[in-house]
């Protein structure tokens, strides 16, 4: 019996300016390229390709223009932990602005590449209680004004606020999302990545305001 020839892997689609540093790999299961996001990164595409990341306490917003298909994903965490009254007042301003940056950078690039504000569709994922010494950061992140004050979002009811990390794969061209729960509660890679990221944003000065196009 003849073995069918293996189809060659196609060349990756052109990347938008500013995203050349984001790693993309061919995924045979989805028959498309997919860009991998690390904490603090975002990615926008006008092509039929995926964007994926692994979330612990962080949040990813998947945003696209549902008509043109241009869209992308971010991966962010707010540097604040809620107390009995909600926000800690010393972190409120900076934390909200970091979340705003994550959303506004992503939305601005989508609009710059042909997206229309009235067509934006948003889906939120993540926010688990993964970091042992920051048990509420995911809940604070996913319920903050920075997250919910943008275009009306659909939430991942099973994917936020529990104790499991998740892998999220998003296809802006179609709006499809695949979410895989990662059973390991001691995923050192996720914890180490998010701990480093949290330390970075807590010690980094917050820049000026960003305006939407």
């Amino acid at each position: 019996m003849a073995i069918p020839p293996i189809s060659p892997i196609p060349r990756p689609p052109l990347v938008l300016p500013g995203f050349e540093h984001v790693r993309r790999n061919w995924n045979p299961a989805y028959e498309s390229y997919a860009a991998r996001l690390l904490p603090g990164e975002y990615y926008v595409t006008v092509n039929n390709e995926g964007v994926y990341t692994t979330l612990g306490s962080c949040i990813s917003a998947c945003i696209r223009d549902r008509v043109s298909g241009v869209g992308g994903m971010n991966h962010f965490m707010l540097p604040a932990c809620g107390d009995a009254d909600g926000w800690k007042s010393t972190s409120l301003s900076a934390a909200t602005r970091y979340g705003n940056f994550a959303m506004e950078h992503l939305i601005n690039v989508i609009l710059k590449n042909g997206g229309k504000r009235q067509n934006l569709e948003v889906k939120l994922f993540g926010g688990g209680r993964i970091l042992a010494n920051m048990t509420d950061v995911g809940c604070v992140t996913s319920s903050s004004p920075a997250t919910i004050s943008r275009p009306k979002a659909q939430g991942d009811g099973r994917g936020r606020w529990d104790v499991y990390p998740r892998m999220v794969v998003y296809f802006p061209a179609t709006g499809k999302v695949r979410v895989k729960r990662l059973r390991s509660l001691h995923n050192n890679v996720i914890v180490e990545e998010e701990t480093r990221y949290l330390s970075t944003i807590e010690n980094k000065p917050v820049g000026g305001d960003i305006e939407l196009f």
Side-chain angles (χ1 to χ4, degrees), residues 58-69:
C58 289
I59 287 286
S60 276
C62 301
I63 305 178
R64 74 174 190 128
D65 181 312
R66 60 180 177 271
V67 176
S68 68

Side-chain angles (χ1 to χ4, degrees), residues 18-41:
F19 298 106
E20 295 86 356
H21 66 286
V22 177
R23 182 178 178 181
R24 296 185 297 166
N25 294 305
W26 174 256
N27 189 315
Y30 303 128
E31 295 187 340
S32 71
Y33 276 87
R36 179 177 182 246
L37 293 187
L38 297 174
E41 293 185 336

Side-chain angles (χ1 to χ4, degrees), residues 30-170:
Y30 303 128
E31 295 187 340
S32 71
Y33 276 87
R36 179 177 182 246
L37 293 187
L38 297 174
E41 293 185 336
Y42 72 105
Y43 185 83
V44 175
T45 180
V46 297
N47 300 300
N48 186 16
E49 60 181 333
V51 191
Y52 74 98
T53 195
T54 303
L55 300 170
S57 297
C58 289
I59 287 286
S60 276
C62 301
I63 305 178
R64 74 174 190 128
D65 181 312
R66 60 180 177 271
V67 176
S68 68
V70 57
M73 175 195 288
N74 57 24
H75 182 149
F76 70 97
M77 179 192 291
L78 301 184
C81 184
D83 56 20
D85 296 323
W87 291 90
K88 286 186 176 180
S89 58
T90 56
S91 300
L92 174 59
S93 176
T96 302
R97 289 173 68 189
Y98 273 114
N100 285 342
F101 279 10
M103 298 295 283
E104 290 170 358
H105 274 300
L106 177 57
I107 292 173
N108 277 342
V109 177
I110 292 173
L111 298 182
K112 184 178 178 180
N113 285 277
K116 304 297 183 183
R117 187 190 305 272
Q118 64 270 24
N119 296 334
L120 293 185
E121 170 185 278
V122 184
K123 298 177 182 180
L124 300 177
F125 301 89
R129 299 181 179 221
I130 305 302
L131 302 184
N133 60 338
M134 293 290 287
T135 54
D136 290 327
V137 69
C139 186
V140 171
T141 299
S142 52
S143 61
S144 73
T147 308
I148 63 178
S149 64
R150 297 299 166 226
K152 186 175 180 181
Q154 301 175 23
D156 172 23
R158 297 172 299 170
R160 293 192 285 155
W161 302 303
D162 65 13
V163 296
Y164 296 101
R166 276 168 166 73
M167 177 177 287
V168 179
V169 186
Y170 178 51

